[in-house]
Amino acid sequence: MSTELKVIAAVVGLILLTTVVLVIVLLVRLVRARKLLRDAGVPLENKLAFWGALLYVISPVDLLPDPILLDDIGVLLLALRSLHNAKDAAGAAGRAAPPQIVRR
C-alpha cells in the first residue's frame, strides 16, 4: 500500500469518525431536550419532529449514503431547533434558578 493511499484512508477514516461522534452528540442533546420539554406544554407537532428525527436516524433509508451522515445531522439539528422554539413559545426558560429568599 502506497503512502498516498494510507494518507487518504486516514483522512477518510477521520472524517467518518468525526461525523459519527457529531451524530452521537446531537442524539444525546436531542434526548436531553426532550426530557426538559416533556411537561412544558410542547405542541404535538414538535413532539412528532423529535420522534421523526430519531426514526430517520435509525432507519436504513437515507437521502445520502450511510458513510455520509450529513442528512442525519441535518434532521437532528432541525428537530433540536423545533424543540428549542417550542420551549421558547411555551415560556419555559430551561432550568430555572432556585427562588431567592429575601430577608428584611
Side-chain angles (χ1 to χ4, degrees), residues 74-92:
V75 168
L76 289 173
L77 285 173
L78 286 174
L80 280 173
R81 179 174 286 179
S82 172
L83 288 176
H84 182 71
N85 290 341
K87 175 192 69 116
D88 290 343

Side-chain angles (χ1 to χ4, degrees), residues 7-62:
V7 170
I8 291 173
V11 169
V12 169
L14 184 62
I15 290 171
L16 288 176
L17 180 65
T18 303
T19 55
V20 167
V21 168
L22 185 57
V23 166
I24 291 170
V25 168
L26 289 173
L27 275 172
V28 168
R29 287 184 64 192
L30 192 61
V31 169
R32 285 184 183 164
R34 181 189 169 270
K35 287 180 181 178
L36 287 175
L37 295 171
R38 183 178 295 155
D39 296 324
V42 177
L44 180 62
E45 60 266 10
N46 298 105
K47 291 179 183 177
L48 290 176
F50 168 76
W51 289 111
L54 286 182
L55 287 175
Y56 182 78
V57 169
I58 293 170
S59 78
V61 178
D62 279 335

